[in-house]
Amino acid sequence: MTTRGRIAGWLGRGLRRPHLLVKFGATSLLLFVGLGSVLGQVLQASTEARILDSALREAQVVARLGVQAGLTPDEVDDGLTDSRVDALERAFLVNLSALDILEVRIWNRDGRVLFAGDRTAIGTGQGGSANLRRALEGGATAVISDVRDATDPFLRRQAVVLEAFTPLQFGSGPNVPAEGVIAVTLPYEPVAAAINGDTRRLYAVLAVALAVLWAVLFRFVASASAALRRQSEANQHQALHDQLTGLPNRSLFADRLDQAVAAAGRSGDRFAVMLMDLDRFKEVNDTLGHQHGDVLLAKVAERLRDTLRSGDTVARLGGDEFAFLLPAIGHDVDIDVVAAKIRDALERPFEILGLPLEIGASLGAAVFPDHATSGITLVQKADVAMYAAKREHRGFAVYDAADDRHSRDRLALAGELRGAIDRGELVVHYQPKVSLASGRVTGAEALVRWDHPVHGRIDPDVFVPIAERSDLIGSLTEFVLDTALRDCRRWNRMGAPVGVAVNLSVRNLHSGGLVEGVARLLAHHGVPPGRLTLEITETMIATNPLRAREAVCDLRALGVRLSIDDFGTGYSSLAMLRSMPVNELKIDRSFVADFGPSGDAEAIVGFSNELGHRLGLAVVAEGVEDADTAAALARLGCDLAQGYWYSRPVPFEAFVDRLATIGRAADRDRVTEAAQL
Ligand code: C2E
Ligand code: CA
Ligand code: CA
């Protein structure tokens, strides 16, 4: 990611998410404030009502006990004498002022004033009105009145008062009629102060409670949202990364590739896509099991990560296929250098189950915009290049348009191979194994070919790996075994006591039924088991010695011979070789081809020969292409030779001819040698 991209990503993470939380916080705060004010108003109203109610009750008590108690029903009917008014006034002055009562007024049933602080009002029909009427009907009421215009200066000073109207009733019971009304006037200020105090307290408590509630809710939502965010980030990571290796997966790679295409399209930069396929992964996976295959992939991923620059992308596309996005190509990095770096990184053997495993890799690259201008085609071209590298054993190739045809063919071949066996397009050729001592043919290696109706002859190097990748390898091996044993029986009947060797694939060795299949075919063709040699590669043994040993022992028990093919290219230890009940060791043709008086190859061949003999094995040198090599091998004491010098692999009829000619040539040589002596 570029610095700018990283900053944008960081900003996005920092701002986008909290933005939601801030929105939630503000909205919920607003709601809480609204809720608080509604609740406050409701509670305030009820507080007000409660305080007024208690003031009214107080006034009623005063009216009943303090005022009404001093009156008789007759007085109420007839009106009060002046002396009674005086007496009442005195009594009220003493008692009621102590209770903070401002004024007492009394009306009779007709609404005539019986008693009032303002003496001139007595005897008139003043004051009261609606409240008076309600009280006469039996209901007590309280009103808050503005008295700033009152005639009484003492009252006027109060500004606002609370007037409580209480029915004047003699006797008790629900239906006692009111004989008059007592109004008690109280100062409103203490009531208002009580209301204000309570309201303030109420609002304070409400505000604190709601604030705490909001804070708790906010915290809860914030932590839930953080957990969700983490979860979603983890999900996103999981969706875009390969679980096994932690590398970006196919879809993240495709995404980055699209971005790279868009960016390079704008800037005119070049970049490369590289695909990589491990060469021997299938073998490891099949012999050691998926679990160890997975460990190997994780180790490969680790080395790849350490090798590339931070700006490059390494992804695992699936299986043993990896992809690289190399943005700096063309500026300061050469694509060959990167490929070499990757191959170097994988060169060191990987240790699995204590075994050093050598995992080769084939790499193919395509460059934007030289080879393609879209992500998909770039990958396709890199894939074509990778297969070209594999096919030509080059390790690395940059896309070349000429490789396209091969690639189409390869895909088509995979589909056609199944039918090819049934249609009889596969044929088996035989290459003689010649005794270096006698010059006679003692055996033959069966090598399969595909005579394709359109493409012509296809080499096993091309289609055997395809069969190994699918489940076709079982049928292919069975076909070769069947054909080789039938042909072996035929040349045996012709009088040639020559055996046949068949190559096994690692999949054969570890899939069930191999031993039974071999036994059945031997019996079917009536070939003695000792005439059949099965060739297994050193790598097949090295990757899972225990299982290989088991299979080898079972096959040995049948009486079949076993041979270690391509010796020198793998990693078998001496101990392992010794524990394996095999009969033959075939020195790989790469050493035999380089065979000469000086150099490593001679040492390797000499050593392998020595080793084989020490272990009691027959030693075969394959790839013998000239007389000098054959003579040198004979001097070394090598037992058998195989190679173009004697014969290329040939069809059955030609092989039968070779049996005679090679034998005759040997006899002739012996005759000339004898004559020369
Ligand atoms: P291999 O088992 O090492 O077989 C020997 C290969 O060396 C054969 O190639 C043979 O044609 C070639 N060869 C023989 N003499 C010489 C020589 O003097 N010089 C050179 N340069 N090469 C020589 P071929 O037939 O193309 O087979 C290639 C590989 O394909 C075999 O290597 C074997 O691994 C595999 N293969 C062939 N047939 C079968 C089969 O029936 N089953 C399985 N599983 N693999 C097979
Ligand atoms: Ca072989
Ligand atoms: Ca070989």
Side-chain angles (χ1 to χ4, degrees):
M1 206 190 293
T2 60
T3 310
R4 204 200 286 156
R6 254 198 306 276
I7 290 174
W10 178 79
L11 279 177
R13 266 198 303 284
L15 292 180
R16 200 171 47 242
R17 304 302 184 153
H19 180 65
L20 249 175
L21 200 62
V22 165
K23 230 159 110 177
F24 163 78
T27 316
S28 60
L29 193 63
L30 224 67
L31 277 172
F32 267 64
V33 168
L35 178 71
S37 89
V38 169
L39 257 178
Q41 273 164 28
V42 169
L43 289 175
Q44 186 183 358
S46 93
T47 307
E48 244 175 65
R50 181 174 46 77
I51 291 174
L52 278 177
D53 201 49
S54 91
L56 178 60
R57 240 175 255 279
E58 188 188 324
Q60 274 178 312
V61 171
V62 170
R64 284 269 159 86
L65 300 178
V67 181
Q68 187 184 317
L71 296 173
T72 62
D74 289 345
E75 271 177 338
V76 175
D77 270 351
D78 306 340
L80 300 170
T81 60
D82 280 352
S83 59
R84 276 293 281 150
V85 170
D86 283 344
L88 280 178
E89 214 169 44
R90 267 193 310 278
F92 293 161
L93 215 61
V94 175
N95 297 323
L96 299 186
S97 61
L99 291 171
D100 216 5
I101 284 170
L102 301 175
E103 196 188 13
V104 172
R105 280 170 296 166
I106 307 170
W107 289 269
N108 72 1
R109 202 180 8 220
D110 307 326
R112 196 156 49 84
V113 178
L114 293 182
F115 176 85
D118 177 10
R119 284 232 166 167
T120 57
I122 295 178
T124 67
Q126 269 179 19
S129 66
N131 297 313
L132 192 61
R133 270 197 306 281
R134 274 198 60 192
L136 281 172
E137 281 158 18
T141 36
V143 287
I144 298 160
S145 317
D146 192 333
V147 287
R148 272 170 297 195
D149 307 329
T151 42
D152 183 347
F154 173 68
L155 212 56
R156 227 176 17 238
R157 242 181 288 131
Q158 294 291 325
V160 182
V161 295
L162 181 78
E163 289 177 295
F165 294 84
T166 311
L168 204 161
Q169 289 158 315
F170 294 102
S172 59
N175 294 321
V176 178
E179 301 294 339
V181 172
I182 302 169
V184 175
T185 303
L186 304 163
Y188 182 66
E189 206 201 283
V191 176
I195 290 176
N196 280 344
D198 273 18
T199 307
R200 257 199 307 278
R201 260 193 304 284
L202 174 85
Y203 272 109
V205 169
L206 198 64
V208 169
L210 286 180
V212 167
L213 195 67
W214 179 82
V216 167
L217 191 73
F218 184 80
R219 245 200 78 95
F220 177 73
V221 170
S223 77
S225 117
L228 272 174
R229 186 168 66 244
R230 276 194 301 277
Q231 181 64 45
S232 105
E233 274 167 11
N235 286 351
Q236 202 176 9
H237 187 272
Q238 215 167 48
L240 294 178
H241 290 79
D242 169 45
Q243 241 167 310
L244 180 66
T245 59
L247 292 178
N249 65 9
R250 188 181 282 275
S251 67
L252 182 54
F253 183 78
D255 207 52
R256 295 212 179 145
L257 182 54
D258 286 345
Q259 282 174 22
V261 167
R266 281 193 301 272
S267 64
D269 283 348
R270 295 170 79 229
F271 71 89
V273 168
M274 198 137 82
L275 291 189
M276 183 184 88
D277 189 276
L278 301 179
D279 286 342
R280 273 184 286 277
F281 177 71
K282 194 133 199 67
E283 232 168 83
V284 173
N285 216 31
D286 285 344
T287 43
L288 297 188
H290 292 287
Q291 201 187 336
H292 297 292
D294 285 356
V295 172
L296 177 63
L297 286 175
K299 289 189 173 188
V300 167
E302 204 179 292
R303 282 201 199 164
L304 293 177
R305 244 194 307 254
D306 292 346
T307 307
L308 291 174
R309 294 181 176 191
S310 63
D312 303 335
T313 296
V314 199
R316 181 177 169 225
L317 301 187
D320 59 343
E321 229 187 19
F322 293 84
F324 307 86
L325 186 62
L326 310 166
I329 292 300
H331 281 307
D332 52 351
V333 179
D334 192 351
I335 191 164
D336 300 301
V337 174
V338 180
K341 248 170 65 178
I342 294 171
R343 278 160 54 77
D344 280 353
L346 300 182
E347 194 132 280
R348 235 176 332 120
F350 289 88
E351 198 176 300
I352 305 280
L353 285 175
L355 280 172
L357 292 185
E358 200 174 75
I359 295 295
S362 302
L363 289 144
V367 177
F368 175 97
D370 310 13
H371 302 134
T373 49
S374 84
I376 291 185
T377 12
L378 273 170
V379 170
Q380 276 168 1
K381 306 278 173 188
D383 189 61
V384 167
M386 182 179 80
Y387 272 92
K390 225 185 227 316
R391 191 178 55 243
E392 292 151 24
H393 305 286
R394 279 195 283 155
F396 170 63
V398 177
Y399 170 75
D400 179 348
D403 294 328
D404 269 332
R405 199 183 55 81
H406 286 294
S407 151
R408 273 196 304 276
D409 297 348
R410 180 171 50 83
L411 284 177
L413 288 187
E416 289 175 50
L417 186 55
R418 190 177 300 272
I421 302 177
D422 299 337
R423 285 191 299 270
E425 288 168 18
L426 296 190
V427 292
V428 177
H429 285 195
Y430 300 96
Q431 186 176 36
K433 282 171 153 175
V434 180
S435 158
L436 280 165
S438 70
R440 287 185 171 274
V441 177
T442 61
E445 178 174 5
L447 294 158
V448 68
R449 277 98 184 79
W450 182 356
D451 282 334
H452 193 280
V454 178
H455 304 298
R457 169 69 47 88
I458 301 174
D459 285 343
D461 276 337
V462 175
F463 67 87
V464 170
I466 294 176
E468 279 171 342
R469 277 175 184 272
S470 64
D471 53 3
L472 282 174
I473 189 66
S475 319
L476 184 119
T477 303
E478 190 177 336
F479 165 79
V480 177
L481 255 175
D482 187 40
T483 311
L485 288 173
R486 181 186 311 112
D487 289 346
C488 177
R489 171 80 177 146
R490 280 162 74 193
W491 66 62
N492 283 177
R493 283 213 172 136
M494 292 172 184
V498 168
V500 75
V502 171
N503 291 286
L504 289 187
S505 163
V506 63
R507 295 283 287 275
N508 300 137
L509 205 55
H510 300 300
S511 63
L514 172 71
V515 181
E516 295 77 3
V518 170
R520 181 172 47 78
L521 287 170
L522 280 169
H524 177 73
H525 293 291
V527 173
R531 288 265 159 88
L532 175 65
T533 301
L534 294 174
E535 297 190 1
I536 56 179
T537 65
E538 197 188 356
T539 330
M540 278 154 81
I541 300 171
T543 42
N544 192 350
L546 286 182
R547 282 185 65 180
R549 210 183 113 79
E550 205 182 300
V552 166
C553 287
D554 289 349
L555 289 166
R556 283 293 292 137
L558 285 181
V560 170
R561 295 180 80 251
L562 279 129
S563 171
I564 296 180
D565 204 355
D566 301 347
F567 184 77
T569 59
Y571 270 93
S572 49
S573 71
L574 275 181
M576 205 155 63
L577 269 183
R578 242 182 53 183
S579 73
M580 209 60 70
V582 293
N583 310 78
E584 184 182 275
L585 191 147
K586 287 182 84 169
I587 304 170
D588 190 68
R589 61 178 182 269
S590 58
F591 305 115
V592 178
D594 297 339
F595 199 46
S598 62
D600 299 343
E602 189 181 15
I604 293 172
V605 172
F607 168 75
S608 305
N609 178 59
E610 183 79 21
L611 175 69
H613 286 155
R614 287 276 169 95
L615 294 174
L617 310 179
V619 177
V620 185
E622 60 175 17
V624 179
E625 294 188 351
D626 51 58
D628 290 348
T629 308
L633 288 165
R635 277 196 300 279
L636 268 178
C638 210
D639 303 296
L640 297 168
Q642 180 185 344
Y644 294 167
W645 168 245
Y646 301 100
S647 166
R648 291 190 173 251
V650 289
F652 174 80
E653 290 75 17
F655 175 71
V656 173
D657 284 349
R658 294 282 194 286
L659 280 175
T661 51
I662 293 175
R664 266 206 300 278
D667 291 342
R668 216 178 25 247
D669 288 351
R670 247 192 303 280
V671 171
T672 18
E673 266 171 45
Q676 278 166 358
L677 281 173

